[in-house]
Structures are given as C-alpha cells and as structure tokens.
Amino acid sequence: MTARAQVAGGVFAALLTGCSGSSPADPGEIPYDRLSDYGFFVGPLSDLEPAQGVVPYRVVSPLWADFAGKARFLVLPEGGRATFDAAETWSFPSGTIVVKNFFFDVDRRDEGGKARIVETRLLVREAGEGWVPYTYVWDEDQTEAYFHAAGDRLTIAYIDAQGNDAEQEYIVPNTDECDSCHARDDRTRLLGLATPQVNFEGLLGDGTTGNQLERLADAGVFDGPLPPVQDLPRFSDPFGPDPLEARARSYLHANCSHCHRPGGDAAQAGLDFTAFDPDPLPAKLGVCKEPAAAGPGTGGREYDVVPGAPDESILVYRMESTDPEIRMPELPIRIPHAEGVALVRAWIAGLDGPGCGGP
Ligand code: HEC
Ligand code: HEC
C-alpha cells in the first residue's frame, strides 16, 4: 500500500466522524520518543491512515524538496477550534499539532506507487511558547519513526525514470534549522497552512476534489463560519491553468518567500517574494534591482531580474546553480527544480522590457 493511496482512503474516517479533534497526545509528554505514541494514525503506521480528528490537507503551491512527496495533517486538541483570518495564517489553540510527512516514490516511473517514508515533521502549538518544531526519522522497515533533534543524513535508493538503480542524499534538518525557514521576526510561524495556500479547488488532502478551505471548515476546524471562499485571497497552482505571472508569483512565494520577505532570514537582500500583493513594486521581485552584494553569486550579471532576458537574470542563475555558495534556495542540498526554473524563465521572458534601460 502506498502512503498516498492510504491517505486518500483514510480520509473518510476522519471526515465522517465529524472531527472535533481527538489527538490523545499529552502536551506534558511532547516530544514523545516514537511517532506512534501520538496516536495520529490507525493501522500500520506507514499507511498514514488518519485517526479520528486528524485532518488531511494539501497546499496549492508546495515547496520543492528534491522529488519528495508530502502528506500533511492538522490535529486540533480535544474540543479546540481555529479562528480564521483571511490574510495569512489562523490562530490555533495550544495543543494544536501540524504534521508533515516526507516520502519518496521507490520507482520514479510509477508516481503514486510504492513509497518510502523518511521523515515526519511536527509543529506543536505549546502554551506560552508558540510553535515548536520536532522531527521524527523513519526506520528502514517503515514500522516506526523516532524523535531526532540532531538532524541526520540518509541515502535514498530509488529506480530512476529510465529504470536504473539510483541514489540521492536526504538531509533531515536539526530542529534549530527549522527556524531558518519557519521564523520571521524571531517567531516560529506556519508557512503553508494559510488562507491563500488552501483556498483552491482541486484534488484535496483526503483524495476527493473540492475547495480545500471549505473542506477544512466542514471538518470542524474553525470556530465560526467562513466568508464566501470566492471573496478570499488565493494563490494559483504553479503548474495549473492560471496566467503565467500568477503562477510564477505563487511558485516564488512557496519556494522563496519564507526567507525573502520583511522579517525573514534573507530580508537584508531587499526582495519580497510573497504573493499577497497583486501589483507589487517591481524591484521587490528583483526586477532591475542590483544585487545587495557583488561576487560569485551574481554570475557576472547586473540585475536580479532583467525583463525579457532570463539568461541575464541573477535569479535564474541562482536557481539553476548546484554550487552550495550560489544556489537558491540556500539549503544544504537541493536538486534544481526543472519545472520551477522553466516557469520562472517563462515569466521573466514575458515581462515588458526589454532590459533595464541604460544610463
Ligand atoms: C527550506 C525551508 C524549510 C525548512 C528548513 C523547514 N521547513 Fe517546514 N515548511 C516549509 C514550507 C515552505 C512549508 C509550507 C509548504 C508545504 O507544506 O509544502 C513548510 C511546512 C511545514 C509544516 C506544515 C505546517 C505549515 O507550516 O504549513 C510543518 C509541520 C513543518 N514545515 C515542520 C518543519 C520542521 C519541524 C522543520 C525542521 C525539522 C522544518 N519544517 C524545516 C519550509 C521549511
Ligand atoms: C533558506 C533561506 C533562503 C531561501 C529559501 C531562498 N533564499 Fe535567496 N537568499 C538567501 C540569502 C541569505 C541571501 C543573501 C546572501 C546571498 O546573496 O547569498 C539570498 C540572496 C538571493 C538573491 C540575491 C539577491 C540580491 O538582490 O542581493 C537572489 C536573486 C535570490 N536569493 C533568489 C532566491 C530565489 C529565486 C529563491 C527561491 C527559488 C530563494 N532565493 C530562496 C536565502 C534564501
């Protein structure tokens, strides 16, 4: 059974039981040594079949993570509800846990087939602490995942698109590193569980189709009714049918804005890749903006984004690079995301220019 198929199958259990939150986790005991101690899943752990009150969800614009698949769940404490906010993320009661599982297809020719789960990340809303990150690393047998504060380096074996045996490295961050992406203005934040990321129509976390935000509301997540979803902010599916600019903005938001926004880890670079403002100052997206620092990170190019000229744009140079000093996102390992680079290239090629004007 595959992680994804099981997530889909498990949905009905979670929805039909009405989901008022029922994680048996005892806040005083967190972090447990073993993932199974939380009681998130029923049946064999690797089926990721959610227990009652464990609500699966998807985001429209996921973070690219070197071919990893993800299965995400929201777990409210007994009787707990979230207070909705249209702008970004919502307020959650203490004891809320958000769960994100990372898995890899064993055979890349068979997407959605047999998968190996490698890591399960948690953000736990703790009284007086805000969101606290924990992570669990799965054993080879896929029977249990163990608490890991110190990070790890795993080798993932798989069959590549041509049918050959292949391997890739996978880095489990240590829990201090979670905040390089999740913290803003020194507070740990949710990144994907946010209104514009879940206000989409399509294939949902439970394997059915519909509007993800409405589905969360139906599952009893919120303490009041939602405004009509068509009036709420939404991001585009980066590889869906929306106009190119909206798709590129959504992609840059998901993959870059956790660092590149005011208060983020790379705020000093002066870029803001959030996709909230439909009509931002072009320089915030790097258009005709000179880089903050000269040096190898520019590839000898003058501006972050040169309208009409992806090959003159530092942004593209850094997304395509595999050099640890240069590549973006700035992470220990990262395989450049071919589709993401192609999308950003197409967006830059289509910007009105040409060029950034002369002296
Ligand atoms: C490279 C940046 C990055 C790092 C490092 C990172 N995350 Fe995340 N994380 C994200 C992004 C972006 C999302 C939202 C998109 C998604 O769900 O795919 C996210 C989503 C999550 C979620 C789902 C809730 C949410 O915020 O939407 C959890 C739980 C989570 N991360 C836990 C962790 C933990 C624990 C660590 C450290 C062990 C960690 N993350 C490290 C970028 C990062
Ligand atoms: C984990 C944090 C992190 C993420 C995620 C990240 N960056 Fe960066 N980025 C940085 C830091 C820190 C700098 C400044 C130091 C440097 O230039 O290397 C930077 C600098 C840059 C610069 C040079 C900007 C300037 O004007 O000086 C560009 C362009 C850039 N990043 C593009 C991107 C793109 C595109 C993405 C997403 C695909 C991305 N970054 C994701 C941390 C990050």
Side-chain angles (χ1 to χ4, degrees), residues 180-181 251-252 255-260 265-266 268-271 273 289-293 297 304 314-315 318-319 325-326 328-331:
S180 65
C181 295
Y251 182 85
L252 292 170
N255 287 276
C256 320
S257 76
H258 37 277
C259 293
H260 289 286
D265 221 40
Q268 82 282 3
L271 298 169
F273 286 128
K289 177 191 171 296
E290 290 178 19
D304 287 341
I314 295 170
L315 193 150
R318 299 195 63 158
M319 282 180 78
E325 300 296 312
I326 295 169
M328 283 289 143
E330 191 195 45
L331 290 168

PDB file of all heavy atoms in Angstrom, residues 180-181 251-252 255-260 265-266 268-271 273 289-293 297 304 314-315 318-319 325-326 328-331, ligand 2:
ATOM      1  N   SER A 180      15.223  28.568  10.249  1.00  0.00           N
ATOM      2  CA  SER A 180      15.802  29.348   9.146  1.00  0.00           C
ATOM      3  C   SER A 180      14.708  29.619   8.109  1.00  0.00           C
ATOM      4  O   SER A 180      14.746  30.623   7.408  1.00  0.00           O
ATOM      5  CB  SER A 180      17.004  28.644   8.522  1.00  0.00           C
ATOM      6  OG  SER A 180      16.602  27.454   7.907  1.00  0.00           O
ATOM      7  N   CYS A 181      13.736  28.733   8.017  1.00  0.00           N
ATOM      8  CA  CYS A 181      12.591  28.997   7.141  1.00  0.00           C
ATOM      9  C   CYS A 181      11.343  29.415   7.918  1.00  0.00           C
ATOM     10  O   CYS A 181      10.574  30.246   7.456  1.00  0.00           O
ATOM     11  CB  CYS A 181      12.249  27.759   6.320  1.00  0.00           C
ATOM     12  SG  CYS A 181      13.533  27.272   5.154  1.00  0.00           S
ATOM     13  N   TYR A 251       4.669  30.295  -7.195  1.00  0.00           N
ATOM     14  CA  TYR A 251       5.851  29.431  -7.041  1.00  0.00           C
ATOM     15  C   TYR A 251       6.926  30.122  -6.203  1.00  0.00           C
ATOM     16  O   TYR A 251       7.509  29.523  -5.285  1.00  0.00           O
ATOM     17  CB  TYR A 251       6.414  29.068  -8.426  1.00  0.00           C
ATOM     18  CG  TYR A 251       7.596  28.135  -8.320  1.00  0.00           C
ATOM     19  CD1 TYR A 251       7.398  26.761  -8.224  1.00  0.00           C
ATOM     20  CD2 TYR A 251       8.894  28.623  -8.274  1.00  0.00           C
ATOM     21  CE1 TYR A 251       8.473  25.899  -8.078  1.00  0.00           C
ATOM     22  CE2 TYR A 251       9.973  27.776  -8.131  1.00  0.00           C
ATOM     23  CZ  TYR A 251       9.752  26.415  -8.040  1.00  0.00           C
ATOM     24  OH  TYR A 251      10.823  25.560  -7.884  1.00  0.00           O
ATOM     25  N   LEU A 252       7.195  31.382  -6.512  1.00  0.00           N
ATOM     26  CA  LEU A 252       8.230  32.120  -5.765  1.00  0.00           C
ATOM     27  C   LEU A 252       7.806  32.313  -4.307  1.00  0.00           C
ATOM     28  O   LEU A 252       8.634  32.253  -3.397  1.00  0.00           O
ATOM     29  CB  LEU A 252       8.516  33.476  -6.428  1.00  0.00           C
ATOM     30  CG  LEU A 252       9.193  33.406  -7.810  1.00  0.00           C
ATOM     31  CD1 LEU A 252       9.189  34.788  -8.476  1.00  0.00           C
ATOM     32  CD2 LEU A 252      10.622  32.875  -7.717  1.00  0.00           C
ATOM     33  N   ASN A 255       8.428  28.857  -2.544  1.00  0.00           N
ATOM     34  CA  ASN A 255       9.800  28.355  -2.508  1.00  0.00           C
ATOM     35  C   ASN A 255      10.820  29.368  -2.014  1.00  0.00           C
ATOM     36  O   ASN A 255      11.951  28.982  -1.703  1.00  0.00           O
ATOM     37  CB  ASN A 255      10.200  27.845  -3.899  1.00  0.00           C
ATOM     38  CG  ASN A 255       9.519  26.537  -4.212  1.00  0.00           C
ATOM     39  OD1 ASN A 255       9.992  25.483  -3.814  1.00  0.00           O
ATOM     40  ND2 ASN A 255       8.370  26.599  -4.877  1.00  0.00           N
ATOM     41  N   CYS A 256      10.475  30.610  -1.965  1.00  0.00           N
ATOM     42  CA  CYS A 256      11.473  31.637  -1.661  1.00  0.00           C
ATOM     43  C   CYS A 256      11.034  32.613  -0.574  1.00  0.00           C
ATOM     44  O   CYS A 256      11.879  33.169   0.121  1.00  0.00           O
ATOM     45  CB  CYS A 256      11.804  32.442  -2.925  1.00  0.00           C
ATOM     46  SG  CYS A 256      11.923  31.460  -4.445  1.00  0.00           S
ATOM     47  N   SER A 257       9.736  32.858  -0.406  1.00  0.00           N
ATOM     48  CA  SER A 257       9.331  33.996   0.431  1.00  0.00           C
ATOM     49  C   SER A 257       9.503  33.760   1.923  1.00  0.00           C
ATOM     50  O   SER A 257       9.508  34.708   2.697  1.00  0.00           O
ATOM     51  CB  SER A 257       7.865  34.380   0.157  1.00  0.00           C
ATOM     52  OG  SER A 257       6.981  33.461   0.764  1.00  0.00           O
ATOM     53  N   HIS A 258       9.657  32.492   2.349  1.00  0.00           N
ATOM     54  CA  HIS A 258       9.877  32.297   3.794  1.00  0.00           C
ATOM     55  C   HIS A 258      11.185  32.951   4.210  1.00  0.00           C
ATOM     56  O   HIS A 258      11.323  33.389   5.343  1.00  0.00           O
ATOM     57  CB  HIS A 258       9.811  30.824   4.205  1.00  0.00           C
ATOM     58  CG  HIS A 258      10.380  29.874   3.222  1.00  0.00           C
ATOM     59  ND1 HIS A 258       9.654  29.419   2.146  1.00  0.00           N
ATOM     60  CD2 HIS A 258      11.607  29.322   3.128  1.00  0.00           C
ATOM     61  CE1 HIS A 258      10.426  28.596   1.443  1.00  0.00           C
ATOM     62  NE2 HIS A 258      11.606  28.535   2.003  1.00  0.00           N
ATOM     63  N   CYS A 259      12.170  33.046   3.320  1.00  0.00           N
ATOM     64  CA  CYS A 259      13.402  33.797   3.617  1.00  0.00           C
ATOM     65  C   CYS A 259      13.327  35.215   3.073  1.00  0.00           C
ATOM     66  O   CYS A 259      13.743  36.164   3.737  1.00  0.00           O
ATOM     67  CB  CYS A 259      14.611  33.097   3.009  1.00  0.00           C
ATOM     68  SG  CYS A 259      14.975  31.502   3.772  1.00  0.00           S
ATOM     69  N   HIS A 260      12.830  35.333   1.826  1.00  0.00           N
ATOM     70  CA  HIS A 260      12.834  36.635   1.150  1.00  0.00           C
ATOM     71  C   HIS A 260      11.538  37.390   1.388  1.00  0.00           C
ATOM     72  O   HIS A 260      10.656  37.437   0.523  1.00  0.00           O
ATOM     73  CB  HIS A 260      13.056  36.456  -0.348  1.00  0.00           C
ATOM     74  CG  HIS A 260      14.444  36.028  -0.696  1.00  0.00           C
ATOM     75  ND1 HIS A 260      15.527  36.874  -0.645  1.00  0.00           N
ATOM     76  CD2 HIS A 260      14.936  34.831  -1.097  1.00  0.00           C
ATOM     77  CE1 HIS A 260      16.617  36.234  -1.007  1.00  0.00           C
ATOM     78  NE2 HIS A 260      16.295  34.985  -1.285  1.00  0.00           N
ATOM     79  N   ASP A 265      14.677  35.417   6.905  1.00  0.00           N
ATOM     80  CA  ASP A 265      16.105  35.179   7.056  1.00  0.00           C
ATOM     81  C   ASP A 265      16.959  35.958   6.045  1.00  0.00           C
ATOM     82  O   ASP A 265      18.113  36.254   6.302  1.00  0.00           O
ATOM     83  CB  ASP A 265      16.353  33.673   6.860  1.00  0.00           C
ATOM     84  CG  ASP A 265      17.354  33.122   7.843  1.00  0.00           C
ATOM     85  OD1 ASP A 265      17.297  33.538   9.017  1.00  0.00           O
ATOM     86  OD2 ASP A 265      18.186  32.298   7.425  1.00  0.00           O
ATOM     87  N   ALA A 266      16.403  36.264   4.886  1.00  0.00           N
ATOM     88  CA  ALA A 266      17.159  36.967   3.847  1.00  0.00           C
ATOM     89  C   ALA A 266      16.601  38.376   3.623  1.00  0.00           C
ATOM     90  O   ALA A 266      16.758  38.955   2.552  1.00  0.00           O
ATOM     91  CB  ALA A 266      17.120  36.175   2.533  1.00  0.00           C
ATOM     92  N   GLN A 268      17.617  41.106   4.409  1.00  0.00           N
ATOM     93  CA  GLN A 268      18.637  42.100   4.038  1.00  0.00           C
ATOM     94  C   GLN A 268      18.864  42.191   2.534  1.00  0.00           C
ATOM     95  O   GLN A 268      19.362  43.192   2.044  1.00  0.00           O
ATOM     96  CB  GLN A 268      19.965  41.832   4.777  1.00  0.00           C
ATOM     97  CG  GLN A 268      20.887  40.774   4.176  1.00  0.00           C
ATOM     98  CD  GLN A 268      20.452  39.325   4.479  1.00  0.00           C
ATOM     99  OE1 GLN A 268      19.414  39.094   5.094  1.00  0.00           O
ATOM    100  NE2 GLN A 268      21.241  38.356   4.031  1.00  0.00           N
ATOM    101  N   ALA A 269      18.478  41.146   1.789  1.00  0.00           N
ATOM    102  CA  ALA A 269      18.664  41.205   0.332  1.00  0.00           C
ATOM    103  C   ALA A 269      17.654  42.167  -0.309  1.00  0.00           C
ATOM    104  O   ALA A 269      17.797  42.535  -1.477  1.00  0.00           O
ATOM    105  CB  ALA A 269      18.552  39.802  -0.277  1.00  0.00           C
ATOM    106  N   GLY A 270      16.622  42.549   0.413  1.00  0.00           N
ATOM    107  CA  GLY A 270      15.707  43.572  -0.100  1.00  0.00           C
ATOM    108  C   GLY A 270      14.630  43.061  -1.042  1.00  0.00           C
ATOM    109  O   GLY A 270      13.905  43.843  -1.645  1.00  0.00           O
ATOM    110  N   LEU A 271      14.523  41.737  -1.194  1.00  0.00           N
ATOM    111  CA  LEU A 271      13.476  41.184  -2.056  1.00  0.00           C
ATOM    112  C   LEU A 271      12.260  40.814  -1.203  1.00  0.00           C
ATOM    113  O   LEU A 271      12.384  40.584  -0.007  1.00  0.00           O
ATOM    114  CB  LEU A 271      14.009  39.920  -2.759  1.00  0.00           C
ATOM    115  CG  LEU A 271      15.197  40.144  -3.690  1.00  0.00           C
ATOM    116  CD1 LEU A 271      15.812  38.805  -4.103  1.00  0.00           C
ATOM    117  CD2 LEU A 271      14.774  40.930  -4.923  1.00  0.00           C
ATOM    118  N   PHE A 273       9.263  38.104  -1.984  1.00  0.00           N
ATOM    119  CA  PHE A 273       8.628  37.189  -2.929  1.00  0.00           C
ATOM    120  C   PHE A 273       7.240  36.733  -2.474  1.00  0.00           C
ATOM    121  O   PHE A 273       6.687  35.800  -3.051  1.00  0.00           O
ATOM    122  CB  PHE A 273       9.508  35.956  -3.169  1.00  0.00           C
ATOM    123  CG  PHE A 273      10.713  36.213  -4.036  1.00  0.00           C
ATOM    124  CD1 PHE A 273      11.988  35.841  -3.609  1.00  0.00           C
ATOM    125  CD2 PHE A 273      10.591  36.802  -5.281  1.00  0.00           C
ATOM    126  CE1 PHE A 273      13.105  36.046  -4.410  1.00  0.00           C
ATOM    127  CE2 PHE A 273      11.703  37.010  -6.093  1.00  0.00           C
ATOM    128  CZ  PHE A 273      12.965  36.640  -5.654  1.00  0.00           C
ATOM    129  N   LYS A 289      16.651  45.266 -10.161  1.00  0.00           N
ATOM    130  CA  LYS A 289      17.273  45.529  -8.859  1.00  0.00           C
ATOM    131  C   LYS A 289      18.706  44.996  -8.902  1.00  0.00           C
ATOM    132  O   LYS A 289      18.940  43.838  -9.270  1.00  0.00           O
ATOM    133  CB  LYS A 289      16.494  44.819  -7.756  1.00  0.00           C
ATOM    134  CG  LYS A 289      17.135  44.988  -6.379  1.00  0.00           C
ATOM    135  CD  LYS A 289      16.503  44.050  -5.354  1.00  0.00           C
ATOM    136  CE  LYS A 289      17.274  44.045  -4.048  1.00  0.00           C
ATOM    137  NZ  LYS A 289      18.654  43.526  -4.156  1.00  0.00           N
ATOM    138  N   GLU A 290      19.636  45.857  -8.491  1.00  0.00           N
ATOM    139  CA  GLU A 290      21.023  45.389  -8.401  1.00  0.00           C
ATOM    140  C   GLU A 290      21.167  44.553  -7.139  1.00  0.00           C
ATOM    141  O   GLU A 290      20.531  44.836  -6.125  1.00  0.00           O
ATOM    142  CB  GLU A 290      21.976  46.587  -8.343  1.00  0.00           C
ATOM    143  CG  GLU A 290      22.036  47.323  -9.671  1.00  0.00           C
ATOM    144  CD  GLU A 290      22.944  48.544  -9.630  1.00  0.00           C
ATOM    145  OE1 GLU A 290      23.790  48.601  -8.706  1.00  0.00           O
ATOM    146  OE2 GLU A 290      22.782  49.411 -10.491  1.00  0.00           O
ATOM    147  N   PRO A 291      22.018  43.505  -7.190  1.00  0.00           N
ATOM    148  CA  PRO A 291      22.152  42.642  -6.015  1.00  0.00           C
ATOM    149  C   PRO A 291      22.770  43.389  -4.843  1.00  0.00           C
ATOM    150  O   PRO A 291      23.545  44.321  -5.024  1.00  0.00           O
ATOM    151  CB  PRO A 291      23.071  41.521  -6.494  1.00  0.00           C
ATOM    152  CG  PRO A 291      23.810  42.104  -7.660  1.00  0.00           C
ATOM    153  CD  PRO A 291      22.877  43.090  -8.301  1.00  0.00           C
ATOM    154  N   ALA A 292      22.432  42.936  -3.625  1.00  0.00           N
ATOM    155  CA  ALA A 292      22.957  43.567  -2.416  1.00  0.00           C
ATOM    156  C   ALA A 292      24.466  43.390  -2.332  1.00  0.00           C
ATOM    157  O   ALA A 292      25.170  44.249  -1.824  1.00  0.00           O
ATOM    158  CB  ALA A 292      22.275  42.974  -1.191  1.00  0.00           C
ATOM    159  N   ALA A 293      24.971  42.264  -2.808  1.00  0.00           N
ATOM    160  CA  ALA A 293      26.410  42.009  -2.744  1.00  0.00           C
ATOM    161  C   ALA A 293      26.917  41.594  -4.113  1.00  0.00           C
ATOM    162  O   ALA A 293      26.243  40.845  -4.821  1.00  0.00           O
ATOM    163  CB  ALA A 293      26.699  40.911  -1.729  1.00  0.00           C
ATOM    164  N   GLY A 297      28.001  35.077  -6.534  1.00  0.00           N
ATOM    165  CA  GLY A 297      26.550  34.872  -6.518  1.00  0.00           C
ATOM    166  C   GLY A 297      25.824  35.590  -7.638  1.00  0.00           C
ATOM    167  O   GLY A 297      24.645  35.330  -7.871  1.00  0.00           O
ATOM    168  N   ASP A 304      18.938  41.335 -10.620  1.00  0.00           N
ATOM    169  CA  ASP A 304      18.280  40.086 -10.213  1.00  0.00           C
ATOM    170  C   ASP A 304      17.363  39.574 -11.328  1.00  0.00           C
ATOM    171  O   ASP A 304      17.357  38.394 -11.650  1.00  0.00           O
ATOM    172  CB  ASP A 304      17.487  40.296  -8.916  1.00  0.00           C
ATOM    173  CG  ASP A 304      18.399  40.442  -7.698  1.00  0.00           C
ATOM    174  OD1 ASP A 304      19.579  40.037  -7.786  1.00  0.00           O
ATOM    175  OD2 ASP A 304      17.944  40.977  -6.673  1.00  0.00           O
ATOM    176  N   ILE A 314      20.059  37.303 -12.541  1.00  0.00           N
ATOM    177  CA  ILE A 314      20.734  36.606 -11.436  1.00  0.00           C
ATOM    178  C   ILE A 314      19.808  35.562 -10.819  1.00  0.00           C
ATOM    179  O   ILE A 314      20.232  34.472 -10.433  1.00  0.00           O
ATOM    180  CB  ILE A 314      21.178  37.631 -10.364  1.00  0.00           C
ATOM    181  CG1 ILE A 314      22.243  38.564 -10.952  1.00  0.00           C
ATOM    182  CG2 ILE A 314      21.700  36.931  -9.114  1.00  0.00           C
ATOM    183  CD1 ILE A 314      22.583  39.760 -10.061  1.00  0.00           C
ATOM    184  N   LEU A 315      18.535  35.900 -10.727  1.00  0.00           N
ATOM    185  CA  LEU A 315      17.577  34.983 -10.101  1.00  0.00           C
ATOM    186  C   LEU A 315      17.609  33.604 -10.772  1.00  0.00           C
ATOM    187  O   LEU A 315      17.635  32.568 -10.100  1.00  0.00           O
ATOM    188  CB  LEU A 315      16.195  35.622 -10.185  1.00  0.00           C
ATOM    189  CG  LEU A 315      15.066  35.031  -9.362  1.00  0.00           C
ATOM    190  CD1 LEU A 315      14.089  36.128  -9.001  1.00  0.00           C
ATOM    191  CD2 LEU A 315      14.363  33.974 -10.156  1.00  0.00           C
ATOM    192  N   ARG A 318      20.899  31.743 -10.093  1.00  0.00           N
ATOM    193  CA  ARG A 318      20.993  31.145  -8.756  1.00  0.00           C
ATOM    194  C   ARG A 318      20.053  29.953  -8.596  1.00  0.00           C
ATOM    195  O   ARG A 318      20.365  29.006  -7.884  1.00  0.00           O
ATOM    196  CB  ARG A 318      20.765  32.216  -7.703  1.00  0.00           C
ATOM    197  CG  ARG A 318      21.859  33.293  -7.839  1.00  0.00           C
ATOM    198  CD  ARG A 318      21.961  34.199  -6.665  1.00  0.00           C
ATOM    199  NE  ARG A 318      22.325  33.497  -5.450  1.00  0.00           N
ATOM    200  CZ  ARG A 318      22.880  34.094  -4.394  1.00  0.00           C
ATOM    201  NH1 ARG A 318      23.144  35.389  -4.405  1.00  0.00           N
ATOM    202  NH2 ARG A 318      23.166  33.398  -3.318  1.00  0.00           N
ATOM    203  N   MET A 319      18.911  29.966  -9.260  1.00  0.00           N
ATOM    204  CA  MET A 319      18.014  28.797  -9.185  1.00  0.00           C
ATOM    205  C   MET A 319      18.589  27.600  -9.935  1.00  0.00           C
ATOM    206  O   MET A 319      18.306  26.455  -9.596  1.00  0.00           O
ATOM    207  CB  MET A 319      16.646  29.125  -9.788  1.00  0.00           C
ATOM    208  CG  MET A 319      15.744  29.927  -8.878  1.00  0.00           C
ATOM    209  SD  MET A 319      14.145  30.258  -9.668  1.00  0.00           S
ATOM    210  CE  MET A 319      13.319  28.674  -9.465  1.00  0.00           C
ATOM    211  N   GLU A 325      27.539  27.660  -2.638  1.00  0.00           N
ATOM    212  CA  GLU A 325      27.705  29.079  -2.328  1.00  0.00           C
ATOM    213  C   GLU A 325      26.724  29.946  -3.113  1.00  0.00           C
ATOM    214  O   GLU A 325      26.561  31.123  -2.818  1.00  0.00           O
ATOM    215  CB  GLU A 325      29.135  29.541  -2.676  1.00  0.00           C
ATOM    216  CG  GLU A 325      30.231  28.815  -1.921  1.00  0.00           C
ATOM    217  CD  GLU A 325      30.136  29.090  -0.430  1.00  0.00           C
ATOM    218  OE1 GLU A 325      30.001  30.269  -0.058  1.00  0.00           O
ATOM    219  OE2 GLU A 325      30.162  28.102   0.356  1.00  0.00           O
ATOM    220  N   ILE A 326      26.153  29.391  -4.148  1.00  0.00           N
ATOM    221  CA  ILE A 326      25.374  30.207  -5.087  1.00  0.00           C
ATOM    222  C   ILE A 326      23.901  29.823  -5.120  1.00  0.00           C
ATOM    223  O   ILE A 326      23.022  30.682  -5.166  1.00  0.00           O
ATOM    224  CB  ILE A 326      25.984  30.061  -6.513  1.00  0.00           C
ATOM    225  CG1 ILE A 326      27.397  30.652  -6.523  1.00  0.00           C
ATOM    226  CG2 ILE A 326      25.107  30.718  -7.568  1.00  0.00           C
ATOM    227  CD1 ILE A 326      28.188  30.347  -7.767  1.00  0.00           C
ATOM    228  N   MET A 328      20.014  28.840  -5.013  1.00  0.00           N
ATOM    229  CA  MET A 328      18.827  29.273  -4.284  1.00  0.00           C
ATOM    230  C   MET A 328      17.740  28.254  -4.549  1.00  0.00           C
ATOM    231  O   MET A 328      17.598  27.819  -5.698  1.00  0.00           O
ATOM    232  CB  MET A 328      18.370  30.656  -4.757  1.00  0.00           C
ATOM    233  CG  MET A 328      19.210  31.779  -4.224  1.00  0.00           C
ATOM    234  SD  MET A 328      18.903  31.999  -2.456  1.00  0.00           S
ATOM    235  CE  MET A 328      20.552  32.412  -1.875  1.00  0.00           C
ATOM    236  N   PRO A 329      16.932  27.890  -3.586  1.00  0.00           N
ATOM    237  CA  PRO A 329      17.029  28.257  -2.175  1.00  0.00           C
ATOM    238  C   PRO A 329      18.372  27.864  -1.551  1.00  0.00           C
ATOM    239  O   PRO A 329      18.990  26.892  -1.977  1.00  0.00           O
ATOM    240  CB  PRO A 329      15.897  27.463  -1.523  1.00  0.00           C
ATOM    241  CG  PRO A 329      15.010  27.040  -2.630  1.00  0.00           C
ATOM    242  CD  PRO A 329      15.829  26.995  -3.859  1.00  0.00           C
ATOM    243  N   GLU A 330      18.751  28.637  -0.528  1.00  0.00           N
ATOM    244  CA  GLU A 330      20.010  28.425   0.165  1.00  0.00           C
ATOM    245  C   GLU A 330      19.819  27.271   1.158  1.00  0.00           C
ATOM    246  O   GLU A 330      19.288  27.449   2.240  1.00  0.00           O
ATOM    247  CB  GLU A 330      20.298  29.708   0.944  1.00  0.00           C
ATOM    248  CG  GLU A 330      21.660  29.792   1.527  1.00  0.00           C
ATOM    249  CD  GLU A 330      21.711  30.913   2.556  1.00  0.00           C
ATOM    250  OE1 GLU A 330      20.804  31.038   3.390  1.00  0.00           O
ATOM    251  OE2 GLU A 330      22.691  31.662   2.497  1.00  0.00           O
ATOM    252  N   LEU A 331      20.188  26.071   0.741  1.00  0.00           N
ATOM    253  CA  LEU A 331      19.960  24.887   1.575  1.00  0.00           C
ATOM    254  C   LEU A 331      21.117  23.921   1.401  1.00  0.00           C
ATOM    255  O   LEU A 331      21.828  23.984   0.411  1.00  0.00           O
ATOM    256  CB  LEU A 331      18.674  24.177   1.138  1.00  0.00           C
ATOM    257  CG  LEU A 331      17.381  24.914   1.451  1.00  0.00           C
ATOM    258  CD1 LEU A 331      16.239  24.263   0.718  1.00  0.00           C
ATOM    259  CD2 LEU A 331      17.136  24.956   2.945  1.00  0.00           C
TER     260      LEU A 331
HETATM  261  C1  HEC B   2      16.663  29.438   3.371  1.00  0.00           C
HETATM  262  C2  HEC B   2      16.604  30.851   3.026  1.00  0.00           C
HETATM  263  C3  HEC B   2      16.511  31.216   1.554  1.00  0.00           C
HETATM  264  C4  HEC B   2      15.601  30.731   0.632  1.00  0.00           C
HETATM  265  C5  HEC B   2      14.508  29.701   0.820  1.00  0.00           C
HETATM  266  C6  HEC B   2      15.868  31.438  -0.596  1.00  0.00           C
HETATM  267  N1  HEC B   2      16.884  32.302  -0.422  1.00  0.00           N
HETATM  268 FE1  HEC B   2      17.631  33.615  -1.823  1.00  0.00          FE
HETATM  269  N2  HEC B   2      18.935  34.371  -0.465  1.00  0.00           N
HETATM  270  C7  HEC B   2      19.060  33.958   0.841  1.00  0.00           C
HETATM  271  C8  HEC B   2      20.092  34.762   1.497  1.00  0.00           C
HETATM  272  C9  HEC B   2      20.525  34.603   2.968  1.00  0.00           C
HETATM  273  C10 HEC B   2      20.591  35.687   0.537  1.00  0.00           C
HETATM  274  C11 HEC B   2      21.666  36.765   0.721  1.00  0.00           C
HETATM  275  C12 HEC B   2      23.049  36.192   0.629  1.00  0.00           C
HETATM  276  C13 HEC B   2      23.392  35.754  -0.763  1.00  0.00           C
HETATM  277  O1  HEC B   2      23.291  36.544  -1.725  1.00  0.00           O
HETATM  278  O2  HEC B   2      23.743  34.574  -0.916  1.00  0.00           O
HETATM  279  C14 HEC B   2      19.842  35.391  -0.696  1.00  0.00           C
HETATM  280  C15 HEC B   2      20.035  36.071  -1.894  1.00  0.00           C
HETATM  281  C16 HEC B   2      19.304  35.878  -3.057  1.00  0.00           C
HETATM  282  C17 HEC B   2      19.463  36.638  -4.276  1.00  0.00           C
HETATM  283  C18 HEC B   2      20.395  37.821  -4.468  1.00  0.00           C
HETATM  284  C19 HEC B   2      19.510  38.982  -4.078  1.00  0.00           C
HETATM  285  C20 HEC B   2      20.106  40.368  -4.029  1.00  0.00           C
HETATM  286  O3  HEC B   2      19.438  41.269  -4.599  1.00  0.00           O
HETATM  287  O4  HEC B   2      21.170  40.550  -3.433  1.00  0.00           O
HETATM  288  C21 HEC B   2      18.552  36.149  -5.183  1.00  0.00           C
HETATM  289  C22 HEC B   2      18.279  36.641  -6.595  1.00  0.00           C
HETATM  290  C23 HEC B   2      17.842  35.067  -4.529  1.00  0.00           C
HETATM  291  N3  HEC B   2      18.323  34.920  -3.243  1.00  0.00           N
HETATM  292  C24 HEC B   2      16.844  34.329  -5.124  1.00  0.00           C
HETATM  293  C25 HEC B   2      16.121  33.324  -4.474  1.00  0.00           C
HETATM  294  C26 HEC B   2      15.060  32.580  -5.104  1.00  0.00           C
HETATM  295  C27 HEC B   2      14.575  32.787  -6.529  1.00  0.00           C
HETATM  296  C28 HEC B   2      14.619  31.692  -4.176  1.00  0.00           C
HETATM  297  C29 HEC B   2      13.547  30.637  -4.350  1.00  0.00           C
HETATM  298  C30 HEC B   2      13.660  29.797  -5.516  1.00  0.00           C
HETATM  299  C31 HEC B   2      15.373  31.902  -2.954  1.00  0.00           C
HETATM  300  N4  HEC B   2      16.277  32.895  -3.189  1.00  0.00           N
HETATM  301  C32 HEC B   2      15.169  31.204  -1.778  1.00  0.00           C
HETATM  302  C33 HEC B   2      18.315  32.978   1.473  1.00  0.00           C
HETATM  303  C34 HEC B   2      17.312  32.235   0.889  1.00  0.00           C
END
